[in-house]
Structures are given as structure tokens and as C-alpha cells.
Amino acid sequence: YDQQGALREGPWKIVRPKPRGSAPLEPWQLYNLNEDIGESRNLADTQPARFQRMLARWQAIDRQMVPPTRIRT
């Protein structure tokens, strides 16, 4: 539902960073946190099967989410 998201599977993490201001939405990224705790090497292109599997799992979970309710004051 939101523009940002993340999913962990063991040492693997996919993340879509929150856009800054009016910047366009950034693409999803894949990291192996055992080898890159600082998330500086995006492995989405070198691990396409893992990336697609994790993204599909995130999308399935996201479809089940209920949009947040805005509280008006």
C-alpha cells in the first residue's frame, strides 16, 4: 500500500526506499546482510531468481494489508 517496503529472509533483504520529497519512486534493491551490512551493493541484477521470489512474496503480503485509517483532528 505504501511507497516503501522491505522483506527479510535470513541474511537476504529486499527494500524499496521511501522517496525523498517529489523524487520518483526508487526501484527495489536486494542485499545480503551477512556480506554487506551497510547495504551498499545492490544484488538484484546478479541474483534475479532470489530477487523475483522475494518480491513476489512481498507483493502477496502487501495485497493482504488494509489501508491505514487517517485520524482527523
Side-chain angles (χ1 to χ4, degrees):
Y1 180 78
D2 199 359
Q3 295 181 339
Q4 63 186 0
L7 176 74
R8 287 275 313 261
E9 284 184 358
W12 295 95
K13 176 182 175 183
I14 60 169
V15 62
R16 181 174 56 189
K18 184 175 183 175
R20 294 183 179 131
S22 60
L25 196 61
E26 293 188 41
W28 283 91
Q29 302 161 10
L30 173 69
Y31 299 103
N32 181 333
L33 300 180
N34 281 349
E35 298 175 7
D36 180 21
I37 193 68
E39 299 179 9
S40 62
R41 293 183 306 274
N42 181 2
L43 301 175
D45 291 335
T46 61
Q47 297 281 334
R50 179 180 306 277
F51 174 74
Q52 289 299 323
R53 186 183 76 247
M54 290 180 70
L55 182 58
R57 183 168 174 227
W58 185 90
Q59 290 168 335
I61 293 168
D62 187 55
R63 282 191 295 273
Q64 298 174 24
M65 296 292 113
V66 175
T69 303
R70 307 272 186 235
I71 300 174
R72 295 182 183 169
T73 56

